[in-house]
């Protein structure tokens, strides 16, 4: 399950919110784990955040996507 964001900054804000909710060390001790998941770029220039284990509100639940198109990585020989 993914939420799709138009910018990395907005996706990171949501990831930060979940990290604070779980009281990860980054938020309580200033170092260590910050996010449950980190946003990744999509092929269409947006950002996908895996929210499979997030606490979602009703609006977020209605916006969840089952997949996204990842950025194509070229293999160099």
């Amino acid at each position: 399950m993914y939420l799709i964001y138009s910018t990395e900054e907005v996706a990171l804000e949501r990831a930060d919110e979940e990290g604070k909710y779980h009281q990860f060390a980054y938020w309580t001790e200033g170092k260590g784990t910050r996010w449950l998941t980190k946003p990744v770029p999509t092929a269409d220039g947006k950002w996908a955040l895996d929210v499979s284990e997030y606490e979602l509100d009703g609006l977020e639940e209605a916006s969840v996507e089952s997949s996204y198109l990842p950025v194509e990585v070229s293999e160099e020989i």
Side-chain angles (χ1 to χ4, degrees):
M1 297 183 349
Y2 301 91
L3 288 175
I4 308 299
Y5 294 92
S6 57
T7 67
E8 181 181 24
E9 291 77 20
V10 175
L12 285 171
E13 285 176 11
R14 181 59 181 95
D16 281 345
E17 181 181 321
E18 194 70 12
K20 290 175 189 175
Y21 173 78
H22 287 282
Q23 298 183 357
F24 287 146
Y26 179 88
W27 302 105
T28 59
E29 300 169 23
K31 60 183 177 182
T33 301
R34 179 175 178 173
W35 306 296
L36 187 58
T37 59
K38 182 179 178 184
V40 294
T42 66
D44 61 355
K46 297 184 179 181
W47 292 84
L49 182 63
D50 181 350
V51 294
S52 300
E53 298 180 32
Y54 279 42
E55 293 291 325
L56 303 176
D57 63 26
L59 183 60
E60 289 175 325
E61 286 181 10
S63 301
V64 167
E65 301 285 338
S66 60
S67 64
Y68 70 95
L69 188 59
V71 172
E72 194 172 310
V73 178
S74 61
E75 293 184 28
E76 293 186 32
I77 300 177

